[in-house]
Amino acid sequence: MFKFVKGHMESIDGVMIYPLISLLIFFIFFVVLFLWVVTAKKKDIDEVSKLPLDNNPKNQEL
C-alpha cells in the first residue's frame, strides 16, 4: 500500500512543497502559542484556568 501511495505522490509535480508548508504552519502555531503564554497577564491565565470549573449561571447556555 505504501509503495502505491509513494509512487502516486512522486508523479505529482511540486508535491515536496506540501510537507514544508505543513511544517511551517505547525511551527508558527506553536511559536505564537508560546509567545502568548509567555506574555499573558496572570489575571488572564487565572480566568482561563477556571473556565472548566465555572458554575456561574450567567455563563451557561440553554
Side-chain angles (χ1 to χ4, degrees):
M1 172 103 178
F2 180 71
K3 288 182 182 183
F4 172 74
V5 173
K6 183 179 177 185
H8 182 68
M9 295 300 276
E10 286 176 348
S11 67
I12 300 173
D13 291 333
V15 76
M16 286 304 298
I17 193 73
Y18 294 112
L20 295 174
I21 290 172
S22 61
L23 178 67
L24 188 63
I25 291 171
F26 178 81
F27 183 73
I28 289 172
F29 174 77
F30 282 103
V31 166
V32 169
L33 187 65
F34 178 75
L35 291 174
W36 177 77
V37 168
V38 170
T39 61
K41 297 177 183 172
K42 181 153 175 65
K43 178 186 152 205
D44 295 336
I45 299 284
D46 288 339
E47 182 179 334
V48 172
S49 68
K50 292 179 184 176
L51 280 177
L53 304 174
D54 192 9
N55 291 328
N56 196 350
K58 73 176 183 176
N59 291 338
Q60 293 179 353
E61 295 181 21
L62 296 176

